[in-house]
């Protein structure tokens, strides 16, 4: 059981989690329970209620929290900050009310990531109904937007593929003007698809299997393109293909950056080391070593590997994260740490 | 594509499969398409219709069959024998009609395995509505009931756990009078649970996991006890615990037979070798060697291993099968081979 | 990176780990680096040397430790307590020297678990060469031997199967005089077999596979029997069969306890709840709920489930642990916490 | 057991397999035992001898063959055709002797795939010692070189990645002059790495993991480039990155073909359908459907999916095979069928 002595309670943040019955919500809860400056005061889900330890026996002896049906008033009374682990399109009906009541909100859905509501509408097949907060939402990728997050009351937590893609490409995209084409070959573990019961996510369908899906048509493409364009200072497009790995956690993006001028492996390695010099969660692999999913599983790290073709014109960047941690819940906690001025790694190492 | 020359068509059996959208039905189809004396003429399912190769792309270039909504009249017109791969309690509404029309029926559900309708009702929570055919159904375990299957028009195909359990215990149970207790610790791959989408069968729930379920209360217990009692010539009960393995195919039963008098390893090994001497699909492992699930995956074999405690009073029998083949579809085809007088291994090696 | 400020260093224990190149040693390292009162000062391995972050890239940015070839003098100078994650039979050549120099030692090998050297010799095929310390070693199962561990300088950390078995059986074995027989059907993930490269541990051999091994002849049997006998107050033997699960971490033991008098499910549940009432790491599942490996993976918990047959004479106990944590490294850290008077859960929740 | 009646023996080919202790050799054996016109007369391996059913219990009741230490004279006496499932560089010391003795040889190693011995030397770090047969070896990719294979006595069976890559790219590469760049993002199951015991192939290292390896430096690149260049009629290079999937069998290549002129999805789909119209083992997926590894596991099929970017200038081709079947043993049997004038699908459907 969590130590709740006085010393802690003084500086404790009261945390609420909406959508705790999904994989992302559960991961936020698990991290929050270990966080020294957090007290989880409210958890809710629409399709499951009852003691958390009954819903998820992994929490036996760890918490006496009871999952409730979402109640706006209770949420506002009990929480300082709320993590929204809701399905896409549901966040935007809740977030405005919480923000209006003065709470801080960290939204793990896709609702506030795309700045252009028309692009959102195209990819998520739903009209955006909260343009005001869409405009103000800060994109919660600390390595690129830490200063904005510091003062934020509302954070749009990045998608899992975009986190791995943008961190893997940022050093090149923000410094090279000779990028000819970008291919992102992305592979994700199954938890990224959520906990809804569908035939194609059954064990016997995924196990010993591998396939591409949403080829050149994944809804994370515009999110990636929006932020790469910002970094590049010009419209930037990617060829993005997603694949489903027979593992529970982890993403590996293999990214092919075609340069017209070329760069040596030593140069690109130095560029990445420098770009992420102070970052606690981005680790550039030594030369000739490649990152592996298992090294970042259950952590908030993003590991990056680099290779260059003999003619120096093709850079292959591989980036790995745990899709539920750095790709979702861990990054959300990292954002909370920044907002509240805690050590950025608090509860995450 | 299947060779359909004249020579084959003469002796071909016209096969229908009801419930082809489940794992068992699909497996029957896959085996039937490879069988030299079978022509699949009708496939049906209630929740999916259309070309089989679209439902299951593994059948691209292999068949042009179209899955239809079940139609009794069509089934009777088009088929000589029908495999029922239907959910429990659905078979007994269809089987009587097919039998009445003169078709042969091999039922892969549990509806006709338990001879006592009260026992059926207790374990499957449903009144039995076809007592006449229940009485006549032959239990399709060829190694024990081959002679009865030869003349049968209606076969109740055994459950997966019971197949592995009964084959593994038959030599001891039918010869020893000093059995004190029977423990069956059973482990099954996930396909045994079927293809229905439920949260607890999702990849992320099963993967890297293992658990017991229906401890001492699995519906296969009475089926095992009924046939063991028959072999023993007296009421015989078992302590049966099922577990869920993170693999797609395969069952391993570890069975603890407590004897009051004792037996040596050589004796028990000789007993098993002799008991299954002529069986094409039961393989007794050499002394000190243990069967493995992967050696029987995608085959109709049942492999058996033996060990004896130093005091000779505990015999541990391990038996493995592929739950979808020897535990379901393969055994069903084996039964069809026997009914029609084909070589018993036809299409199965 | 670990915080090393003055406040911590004052109460910090200097920890050494021998055999850090194996799975167990790595797990000790991983836990020790997160422990607030530990400073890892020395790590060694015989077949691999160099920066830990190069050997295991998961430790990039987490430690600058360098793995060395074992040097006795250095170990003594640099450490207060040493974890021995060495192969069986190697610990007993190192432990006496470290103990003689005044260090505390927690041995994760099997060398000091069996009190009778003849039994050790029989099962590990090696003469025991350190009878003095064998006699003094405290068996590090805190739930049963906490008081002895408190004052200990030398702890024999229990085996993985025995931890799950003894914790699962202790309440019954220490209170019931009517136990007729004990069957332990044990299943373990592959990391239990260590990190040595052998053909039978290759991915393609284990994946989609399952098998029994060392049937009725596993070296953990005498360890289990020794401590159960102690609890029962009379010689107690078990029928133990081990199986290999296609997962990395986790053990589930299904244990069949045959009672001549019988017990109700409510009674046995109450017995277990009471027995483990104050234990932070043992969780008794609610009635009708079964423990799962994934709920204890990467934790120091032991979860226990209970079932009773209709005639009340068969109790089925299921216990699960992470073989590398509660079954090895986590329990070792728990023992260290007890020895040093830290909170017993420090670094483990 | 295999039927060996007179009718069969007349047209039977006597088959030898060298290197039967590896995964590829075992797969050749498994397929050969099921082939109606094959009699396996000789199997050899250097590090394992004895009855095949003892080495691989999956062959219990299926064969009484005994694996011997390789003996040239015996091989020549007993065989018509020999499959070489030997490590790279070993084939070229055996093949010339068998060919000289008049046997037919199908080599599954890489020794005779690269026509330029200098390229071989560069990538396999070994001088080529059999230039004569290197020149005459026919590349055994039936879909492209069927006519040459018909009269061949010596076939160099393609690599697994190259099979999937070349089949996936052939229609485009042989018809389009506007290809700007080719990226091959390849993912393979672990059996492709062979059966040698190394730490990095252990279950606990591969399971729940994913990583790239030999990035832009895999020895299959020059093999792919050689045959693509032949098809294109000009030097063609690829950017090839290999990844290791946590599955036993299967390869999926995602290939990015950048065209300067563009092509519609319908056009490219029609092109592929036409190109492989008569092929029994290449299946072009319907529009908007993607191939999956599990649909080709344990089969000789190569399934291909297609997608095109909105601007029509990027074609994404996905191709899947079973690396041990179409990527090795199955293709070798297909080549044997062609050589001997059997139905090309004999023993493979």
């Amino acid at each position: 059981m969590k130590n709740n002595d006085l010393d802690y309670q003084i500086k404790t943040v009261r945390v609420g989690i909406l959508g705790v019955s999904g994989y992302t919500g559960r991961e936020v809860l698990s991290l929050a329970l270990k966080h020294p400056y957090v007290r989880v005061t409210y958890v809710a889900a629409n399709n499951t209620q009852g003691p958390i330890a009954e819903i998820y026996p992994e929490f036996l002896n760890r918490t006496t929290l009871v999952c409730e049906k979402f109640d706006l008033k209770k949420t506002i009374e009990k929480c300082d900050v709320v993590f929204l682990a809701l399905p896409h399109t549901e966040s935007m009906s809740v977030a405005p009310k919480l923000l209006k009541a003065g709470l801080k909100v960290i939204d793990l859905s896709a609702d506030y990531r795309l700045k252009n509501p028309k692009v959102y509408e195209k990819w998520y097949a739903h009209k955006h109904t909260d343009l005001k907060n869409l405009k103000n939402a800060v994109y919660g990728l600390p390595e690129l937007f830490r200063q904005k997050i510091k003062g934020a009351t509302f954070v749009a937590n990045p998608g899992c593929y975009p986190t791995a893609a943008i961190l893997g490409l940022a050093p090149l995209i923000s410094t090279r003007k000779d990028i000819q084409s970008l291919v992102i070959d992305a592979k994700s573990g199954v938890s990224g698809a959520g906990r809804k019961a569908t035939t194609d996510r059954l064990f016997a369908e995924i196990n010993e299997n591998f396939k591409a899906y949403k080829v050149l048509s994944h809804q994370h493409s515009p999110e990636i393109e929006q932020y790469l364009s910002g970094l590049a200072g010009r419209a930037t497009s990617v060829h993005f293909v997603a694949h489903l790995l027979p593992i529970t956690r982890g993403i590996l993006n293999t990214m092919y950056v075609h340069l017209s001028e070329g760069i040596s492996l030593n140069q690109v390695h130095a560029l990445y080391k420098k770009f992420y010099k102070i970052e606690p969660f981005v680790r550039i692999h030594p030369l000739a070593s490649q990152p592996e999913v298992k090294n970042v599983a259950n952590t908030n790290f993003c590991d990056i590997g680099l290779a260059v073709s003999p003619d120096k014109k093709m850079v292959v960047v591989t980036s790995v994260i745990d899709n539920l941690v750095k790709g979702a819940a861990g990054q959300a906690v990292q954002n909370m740490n920044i907002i509240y001025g805690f050590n950025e790694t608090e509860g995450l190492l």
Side-chain angles (χ1 to χ4, degrees), chain A:
Chain A
M1 293 286 170
K2 183 89 175 297
N3 191 328
N4 275 320
D5 65 35
L6 195 64
D7 182 48
Y8 274 5
Q9 288 183 21
I10 291 170
K11 27 180 181 169
T12 281
V13 174
R14 297 176 306 151
V15 161
I17 304 166
L18 305 188
V20 78
S21 64
Y23 290 133
T24 302
R26 183 179 66 179
E27 193 77 12
V28 173
L29 174 60
S30 187
L31 291 171
L33 287 174
K34 291 178 186 171
H35 196 291
Y37 307 136
V38 158
R39 203 153 40 96
V40 181
T41 48
Y42 187 71
V43 292
N46 279 333
N47 38 18
T48 328
Q49 284 87 37
I52 284 290
E54 280 180 23
I55 300 172
Y56 298 125
E58 71 184 85
F59 291 110
L60 278 167
N61 283 27
R62 288 177 60 195
T63 182
T64 55
L65 277 168
V66 175
C67 178
E68 307 182 15
K69 207 165 179 65
F70 170 62
D71 180 283
L72 179 64
K73 208 177 144 208
K74 267 197 178 176
T75 310
I76 293 170
E77 277 170 18
K78 291 190 153 189
C79 305
D80 300 316
V81 58
V82 178
F83 291 86
L84 303 183
L86 300 170
H88 305 316
T89 75
E90 284 190 25
S91 277
M92 65 178 143
S93 73
V94 176
K97 298 166 189 164
L98 300 174
L99 289 167
K100 200 174 163 193
L103 274 66
K104 294 185 197 300
V105 174
I106 298 173
D107 176 28
L108 289 92
S109 86
D111 284 1
Y112 295 90
R113 297 173 191 158
L114 296 171
K115 285 302 177 190
N116 184 336
K118 290 204 188 321
V119 175
Y120 179 85
E121 204 173 325
K122 177 185 165 193
W123 289 89
Y124 291 91
H126 199 278
K127 199 172 165 57
H128 207 294
T129 57
D130 183 24
L131 299 186
K132 182 186 134 207
N133 290 306
L134 176 59
K135 205 180 144 204
N136 297 332
V138 174
Y139 192 64
L141 194 59
E143 290 77 6
L144 297 178
F145 304 107
R146 185 171 285 117
Q147 292 313 316
K148 286 188 183 169
I149 299 166
K150 270 183 187 165
T153 54
F154 186 30
V155 168
N157 214 55
C160 50
Y161 285 128
T163 295
I166 299 168
L167 289 178
L169 292 172
L172 276 171
I173 206 87
S174 59
T175 58
R176 301 291 300 202
K177 300 297 168 202
D178 62 334
I179 295 177
Q180 299 303 300
S181 71
L182 287 169
V183 164
I184 302 177
D185 194 275
K187 302 90 175 174
S188 175
V190 182
S191 59
R195 201 166 167 243
K196 214 169 103 179
T198 60
T199 304
D200 62 344
R201 292 171 200 169
L202 291 179
F203 181 85
E205 303 293 324
I206 301 290
N207 181 43
E208 287 297 282
N209 199 7
F210 185 67
K211 64 174 174 182
Y213 68 100
K214 297 188 184 172
V215 178
L216 299 178
S217 60
H218 194 285
Q219 72 278 7
H220 280 173
S221 301
E223 184 179 339
I224 295 169
E225 290 175 343
Q226 173 177 299
Y227 293 98
L228 291 188
S229 297
L231 289 168
R234 59 186 170 123
T236 299
S237 67
V238 299
H239 295 295
F240 180 88
V241 176
H243 302 75
L244 198 53
L245 283 169
I247 63 176
T248 300
R249 287 162 176 268
I251 281 178
L252 187 149
N253 282 357
T254 311
M255 296 176 283
Y256 300 84
V257 186
H258 197 177
L259 302 174
S260 54
E261 314 256 311
I263 190 169
S264 74
L265 180 56
N266 282 327
Q267 283 175 313
V268 74
H269 195 258
L271 170 66
Y272 274 68
K273 291 289 279 186
K274 189 178 165 199
F275 194 93
Y276 289 120
K277 196 174 182 179
I278 62 151
E279 291 303 329
F281 292 121
V282 180
R283 308 187 292 195
I284 309 306
H285 258 252
L287 290 173
S289 161
Q290 281 288 322
E292 307 187 19
V293 161
K294 79 174 165 59
N295 290 333
V296 298
N298 296 301
T299 81
N300 200 49
F301 289 112
C302 173
D303 287 4
I304 293 175
L306 297 162
V308 174
S309 64
D311 72 357
K312 302 187 179 179
K313 294 190 173 172
M314 172 63 82
V315 180
V316 177
V317 183
T318 44
S319 64
V320 301
I321 59 170
D322 183 320
N323 56 300
L324 290 178
V325 188
K326 183 63 178 169
Q331 187 143 270
V333 169
Q334 187 181 357
N335 284 318
M336 179 195 71
N337 285 340
I338 296 171
I339 290 172
Y340 283 97
F342 301 144
N343 187 333
E344 192 166 326
T345 63
E346 204 69 73
L348 294 170
L349 279 188

